[in-house]
Amino acid sequence: MSAEREPIGVIGVGWVGLVTAACFAELGHEVWARDIVAEKVESLSRGEVPIHEPGLAELVMENAERLHFTTDMTEALKHARLLFVCVDTPPTYSGDADLSRVEAVLGELGDSTDHALVMKSTVPVGTGRSIQRRRPGTGYVSNPEFLQEGSALKDFMNPDRVVVGADESSQPFAERVAALYAPLDAPVVKTDVASAEMVKLASNAFLATKISFINEIANVSEDLGADVSEVARGMGLDDRIGPKFLQAGIGYGGSCFPKDVQALKQLAGNTGYHFQLLTAVIEVNELQKRRTIGKLQKHLGPLVGKEVALLGLAFKPNTDDIREATSLVLSGRLQGEGANVRVYDPVAGQRVEGLLGGARICASALEAVDGADAVVLVTEWPEFGELDWAGEVKRRMREPLVVDGRNFLDRDALIQAGFTYEGIGR
Ligand code: UDX
């Protein structure tokens, strides 16, 4: 068997698992993708992809011959030696990661020494070592994912780096994992398991820190008369800083940043170390979501009975994911202030049914802005930039007030059209 044609098991076919399975199939490997949810497996076997990720449905279809979806773990174990673990590790109430699904996979693996777990799920630093201590015969490789929703296929196929962590006994498995990524021509960081686990958490925590940092610069800029977009442009050209993740806004959300920052802080806390910086990163992010309320009150006074339209629900564009989305917090806070909230998102509308209290879910942006006293742009979906703001939108609104939570709209054009415009840090 050549290294380029290694049969692969993917355990857990959520967003990470499906992207991983489809991309390895695209690279020419036979993939056995196993999930415990029978309906999901059935629909995937029919070629129906239940996840909104650009290009994914097409990739699954094109590679249908090499993609075998199953609920049967023994199928995956029979065909593949490398088992990419892509199960959920959600936070518990204490902020620690819930590893029960990882444990369930271990249970199903039995005492096989032929197989290796290749951990893609984000786990606390130390997880791999503790698994290996309990099960010295089981191969274990840490191979964290760095995929961004909305560009996951591109991220998988053109990674900045591939991280492969393994201890001495699992080196042969680690070599096989690294070989799978050879066609991608990316630097491979071969390291120990704990360091690989830390690379993942530290990377996300660093990016979240960068966002909270620029958000604080934005908040200070508002009072000092600077424009954070200009500041970010000037900072980003410094090679040591770089232009990415310097976009000020109404806070980061999603399935990774909030969870991973919290997890790293908690992990440090468990060792007796108070990670002060991350405590501040989390607090700044929470306050950032709420600052919008103050901006609305500045212009509208008390919000009781005011009609507020939220454009965008997803935590960022090109996804229907609403996990930890700022829209959810904002909608709750606005209703708490007595406002009537209407919301629109091009794809995430159905996802929020039942989650937004009394908020009205609209079928279009124009329906949402109709009769509104204010519009808050929450997610920078391209279609919001293409709305006829000066004409149709302004005509429909009761008060022409826009809070642009992503500094996405054409500020000058809106002001010229008679809008009151509030951005972030400008
Ligand atoms: C992130 C990491 O980027 C990825 O490597 C990891 O595997 C999973 O978590 P993702 O959650 O898909 O990916 O989203 P990302 O594009 O990183 O954005 C996260 C949040 O930060 C979004 O809410 C986004 O709006 C916000 N953000 C991002 C900013 O507010 N400003 C920025 O400059 C960048």
Side-chain angles (χ1 to χ4, degrees), residues 124-144:
V125 180
T127 302
R129 193 160 289 165
S130 115
I131 290 176
Q132 282 179 301
R133 212 172 278 144
R134 279 157 46 203
R135 310 169 56 117
T138 305
Y140 190 96
V141 180
S142 170
N143 177 221

Side-chain angles (χ1 to χ4, degrees), residues 28-39:
H29 307 285
E30 293 285 324
V31 179
W32 277 265
R34 187 275 187 144
D35 201 282
I36 50 173
V37 181
E39 301 88 74

